[in-house]
Amino acid sequence: MVAADRNAGGIRGQKAVFVGPHQLLRPLGEGGMGQVYLARSPGLRLLAVKVIRPEYAEDPQFQRRFQQEVEAARRVTGFHTPPVVDAEPRGRRPWMATAYLPAPALGEVILRFGTFSEAGVRALGAALAEALAAIHAAGVVHRDLKPGNVLIARDGPRVIDFGISRAFDATHLTRTGMVCGTPGYIAPECIVSASVTSAAADVFSLGCLLVYALTGRTPFGSGEPAQINRRVVYEEPDLSGVPGTLRPLVASCLDKDPARRSTATTLLGALAPVDPGALLSPGLLAELDARERQAEADLAAPQADPPALPVRTWQSLSRRGLFGLGAGLGAGAAAAVGVPLLLTRRTRPTGSAATVGKPVDAWGVDAAGTGSPPAGPEPLWSKPITGMTVDHQLSLLGATPVWWNEGMGAVGYDGTTGRQAWSREDAQFFQVQNDLIYGTSLDFAGLVWLNDKAESHRSPLVVPAAQRDEAAMSLRVFGADSRTVVLARETSLTGGGIVAGADLGSGAVLWQQEITENLAVSLARHQDSMLSGSGSSMGLVADGRCYFEDSGVIHAVDLRTGASRWQATGVTSAGVPSRLLRTGGLLLVVHGLAVVALDPATGQQRWAAPATPQPIFGCALGAGRLLLSGAMGTAYCLDVTTGRGSWHTTVGVTTAADRGADYQAPSAGEGFFGVPLPSRPSGVAVLDAADGAIRWVVNSASDEGRWTTAAKGGTLYCASATTLRAFRAGGA
């Protein structure tokens, strides 16, 4: 990926950026594996280019599998699969380009325009069966057929993303042992044995899609992924709402035994004849018209010449080079969303960390020293902890560190001695906000919140009784003041949901607003982003207003009435959730590689920070400074008053075993930042907030998994799956 010298036709008017010979125009979205951009080929064709995330890109096993899948995808023919046009599977940032279709995904169509008729579902099923028959004939198994991977175009549905799923799964499974795919669409044999790959698994996913297109839900319900997967393996599908004429065919797709399922070819014959026009509602036709007009405008945008040879390709950059586009390079200010910084001088870590010298560019990247940092002090206290070993969280309620697990109980500890102060198992907790921890009662009939002494408050739950089971696992509190609480919940497995303001005393709904973007993505990221002052990836409450993002638009609404105060566009892009923070008279929006400050009263932009060279995984706010933790063990700090970069530090060396693992959020204390290490053994680095110098590092080879941190004053609390520790890290 290289940048042209002249400013023409690039992303949002910035310098032109190329992937291979293709000019990137704007971001289209983001997935767990990479970012997708709209691009224009030298022959003036629009392409969808997926650029692989750096944590996967340098893994040799991934590159081999990705190359095999690209070659297999190129063999796939058929009307219902966009062709692979170009690819570079073995570069520093592998990519693949397919023909671009200006069409919405099935999930968006169902959410916005409603479910299909029986005739429409027959047309959809026939098209997908034809696509699967072509994919399977080429020796490829899709493995992730879901509403987001089916586009509904004017001339018929298309199946996308079939060329990379196996490469991703092979790499991810060897690291985590997790089941890959989308709950509710994964075949039971793939859940029981993650190594199983067969064409019959795609047929099972197709059956789930047909039920979804008819009813707006999956045949195995909603909830936690583990709950859905258990139903897929052990329970019969819910086919209520499926017409009797289609029920035997759908049931055959959903048979637990893959040998008894229909094949794609058999399904195609059983569904014919079909009426393709039954898919096209008036609302969908209007949406397709708008997308096609936008595609014409994209194609007509000013062109830029590719850089003169020789160029610096990804392959020619050193392993530690920081480069390329990350998530969310869409709308925004020039400094924040232009061509990312291509560093000429880099930190060079020795051991597990490196120190920082004087700044030489926008982020102070030069490293003026080597050697290992000092070892950390002995903890003030150390407490063994047991019980919640998966996805545990560490937060502070006032001065009380609380160790908890989403959807389970919580335990509070004395911050001075480490003695257990209280334990609550009578509620399922989901969120920490304003020194309170929020959750629901076990029967999901009431909203519960606790203070640092575990004193309980309760309010009726603002979800109809008939929807509580479905809503319980997706409910989140992302803001509250003394009178009002704002909640969000999913209303669809494939995206969309509701943001609602409710009175804390009565539970009465004061206002609600539909969210059209994929709320499930935001919910999945929300908890990590809220820890340690990282900001909410859904929204926040401050100044008597609620701020939230939907489809690339930042909204500010009155907290009690829901009335719109302002909307800001051009700051973010749809499909890439942002983090929102409020500090010092500014609303900060952290998006992809960018940080933009808005006036909270008007939504006008105050400043835009320089783009970070690495995607941002977490952030922490303290004493007028914002720390951004990124890939490859990097940490970037900016002054929130001016938006200028202050310093950059590398806090750890990333190994092959680390790539693909979760990055925990940093935390801010009095004059320091605590940053969990992205390397093994697990541990934490304490950075000086003024200059980024690493004060000390603590490692523990005996603790499994990454540490989570929380800070209060000069104390840093660290929790692993087995131990809670407190360290003196800053202050007097």
Side-chain angles (χ1 to χ4, degrees):
M1 183 180 299
V2 288
D5 293 333
R6 65 190 182 91
N7 185 354
I11 295 180
R12 299 294 183 188
Q14 306 307 312
K15 290 183 178 180
V17 180
F18 288 80
V19 169
H22 312 298
Q23 180 185 352
L24 300 189
L25 300 178
R26 57 184 169 87
L28 293 174
E30 177 185 22
M33 186 178 176
Q35 297 84 35
V36 182
Y37 302 94
L38 179 66
R40 182 171 48 201
S41 74
L44 297 183
R45 296 174 62 190
L46 291 181
L47 306 174
V49 178
K50 175 163 281 190
V51 183
I52 303 305
R53 293 186 183 281
E55 56 263 37
Y56 305 120
E58 294 185 14
D59 185 277
Q61 179 190 11
F62 174 88
Q63 288 195 350
R64 287 193 299 270
R65 292 299 300 265
F66 186 37
Q67 183 172 25
Q68 293 171 3
E69 295 307 318
V70 168
E71 292 170 354
R74 281 174 163 156
R75 297 196 303 267
V76 175
T77 60
F79 176 77
H80 296 292
T81 55
V84 176
V85 175
D86 198 0
E88 175 48 78
R90 301 302 290 265
R92 283 294 181 192
R93 290 289 295 277
W95 57 271
M96 180 170 67
T98 59
Y100 171 69
L101 289 172
L106 174 62
E108 181 180 352
V109 172
I110 297 297
L111 180 66
R112 295 181 58 188
F113 308 118
T115 57
F116 292 153
S117 65
E118 179 179 348
V121 168
R122 284 184 174 274
L124 173 70
L128 297 183
E130 185 176 7
L132 288 181
I135 293 171
H136 297 161
V140 178
V141 178
H142 192 290
R143 295 169 62 91
D144 196 21
L145 190 65
K146 60 184 179 180
N149 282 338
V150 176
L151 303 182
I152 307 299
R154 190 183 301 274
D155 55 354
R158 304 290 200 282
V159 175
I160 61 173
D161 262 5
F162 56 86
I164 56 178
S165 54
R166 289 187 63 196
F168 171 65
D169 285 0
T171 304
H172 191 61
L173 286 169
T174 57
R175 289 174 187 158
T176 67
M178 295 175 62
V179 175
C180 288
T182 302
Y185 298 92
I186 312 169
E189 66 271 20
C190 298
I191 297 172
V192 173
S193 177
S195 62
V196 170
T197 302
S198 71
D202 284 346
V203 172
F204 184 91
S205 301
L206 174 56
C208 296
L209 275 176
L210 296 180
V211 176
Y212 171 76
L214 283 162
T215 66
R217 57 169 176 77
T218 70
F220 297 98
S222 61
E224 290 279 10
Q227 295 175 334
I228 299 172
N229 289 342
R230 180 188 59 78
R231 295 186 206 117
V232 170
V233 174
Y234 297 109
E235 297 181 11
E236 292 304 311
D238 178 5
L239 299 185
S240 58
V242 177
T245 52
L246 282 177
R247 187 167 296 187
L249 183 145
V250 172
S252 72
C253 294
L254 299 178
D255 199 300
K256 305 293 185 189
D257 185 351
R260 293 199 297 262
R261 289 178 204 145
S262 301
T263 65
T265 302
T266 302
L267 287 173
L268 183 58
L271 288 165
V274 299
D275 175 15
L279 286 169
L280 302 176
S281 66
L284 176 55
L285 287 170
E287 174 68 16
L288 290 170
D289 288 340
R291 288 175 180 257
E292 288 163 4
R293 287 193 298 269
Q294 180 62 54
E296 292 175 358
D298 290 327
L299 202 57
Q303 298 181 50
D305 297 328
L309 295 175
V311 298
R312 296 184 71 193
T313 64
W314 287 330
Q315 295 91 325
S316 68
L317 292 172
S318 68
R319 184 183 185 281
R320 295 295 297 173
L322 304 179
F323 58 88
L325 288 167
L329 287 185
V337 296
V339 178
L341 199 62
L342 185 60
L343 304 179
T344 57
R345 304 179 71 182
R346 308 172 179 86
T347 51
R348 297 185 181 277
T350 300
S352 62
T355 57
V356 172
K358 67 178 183 179
V360 296
D361 62 15
W363 286 102
V365 179
D366 191 33
T370 59
S372 298
E378 290 296 317
L380 298 173
W381 50 260
S382 179
K383 176 74 175 180
I385 46 182
T386 58
M388 296 173 287
T389 59
V390 179
D391 296 330
H392 65 271
Q393 311 287 352
L394 178 64
S395 303
L396 285 166
L397 306 187
T400 300
V402 176
W403 192 66
W404 61 288
N405 193 74
E406 185 173 339
M408 296 177 64
V411 182
Y413 295 87
D414 186 294
T416 303
T417 65
R419 179 183 57 84
Q420 180 175 317
W422 51 264
S423 177
R424 292 292 295 263
E425 298 181 356
D426 57 344
Q428 303 192 66
F429 294 105
F430 300 107
Q431 185 56 60
V432 172
Q433 175 76 18
N434 297 336
D435 290 338
L436 299 171
I437 185 167
Y438 289 86
T440 63
S441 57
L442 294 179
D443 60 2
F444 303 115
L447 182 68
V448 176
W449 62 101
L450 309 177
N451 61 16
D452 58 344
K453 298 179 178 59
E455 295 169 339
S456 180
H457 302 266
R458 182 177 173 124
S459 175
L461 187 63
V462 291
V463 176
Q467 302 174 22
R468 284 173 188 162
D469 288 343
E470 294 186 4
M473 292 299 105
S474 66
L475 181 71
R476 295 295 184 277
V477 175
F478 68 72
D481 66 5
S482 60
R483 297 191 301 157
T484 312
V485 61
V486 179
L487 307 98
R489 67 179 181 88
E490 292 177 73
T491 56
S492 166
L493 284 177
T494 60
I498 292 174
V499 171
D503 186 86
L504 266 177
S506 66
V509 177
L510 303 173
W511 57 268
Q512 67 180 28
Q513 183 163 329
E514 183 180 0
I515 297 294
T516 59
E517 197 173 36
N518 194 335
L519 186 63
V521 174
S522 293
L523 289 171
R525 298 184 178 187
H526 178 60
Q527 184 54 52
D528 285 344
S529 67
M530 284 297 293
L531 294 174
S532 308
S534 295
S536 172
S537 63
M538 299 192 312
L540 59 86
V541 165
D543 321 303
R545 289 184 288 267
C546 171
Y547 305 93
F548 62 93
E549 179 191 4
D550 180 28
S551 299
V553 179
I554 305 295
H555 296 261
V557 302
D558 185 273
L559 187 57
R560 294 294 290 181
T561 68
S564 177
R565 294 308 182 202
W566 52 260
Q567 296 181 9
T569 59
V571 178
T572 65
S573 57
V576 185
S578 300
R579 295 179 178 89
L580 305 178
L581 305 96
R582 181 71 172 84
T583 181
L586 297 172
L587 177 67
L588 303 183
V589 182
V590 182
H591 182 78
L593 308 178
V595 182
V596 178
L598 305 179
D599 185 321
T602 65
Q604 296 298 308
Q605 182 175 304
R606 293 280 190 85
W607 53 254
T612 60
Q614 297 284 357
I616 299 167
F617 289 102
C619 51
L621 185 65
R625 295 179 182 272
L626 179 66
L627 183 77
L628 309 170
S629 60
M632 308 299 289
T634 51
Y636 306 90
C637 184
L638 61 83
D639 185 310
V640 298
T641 303
T642 64
R644 296 190 181 96
S646 299
W647 47 260
H648 161 270
T649 299
T650 300
V651 298
V653 177
T654 306
T655 66
D658 292 312
R659 300 189 190 106
D662 293 333
Y663 285 75
Q664 298 292 349
S667 55
E670 186 176 330
F672 72 91
F673 292 107
V675 182
L677 294 176
S679 56
R680 287 163 172 72
S682 301
V684 65
V686 172
L687 311 183
D688 190 291
D691 60 10
I694 298 180
R695 294 181 179 177
W696 47 262
V697 171
V698 167
N699 295 107
S700 176
S702 62
D703 279 346
E704 294 294 330
R706 297 186 180 277
W707 289 18
T708 55
T709 64
K712 184 76 171 182
T715 304
L716 177 67
Y717 301 97
C718 304
S720 69
T722 61
T723 309
L724 178 64
R725 301 174 176 88
F727 295 94
R728 187 66 183 173

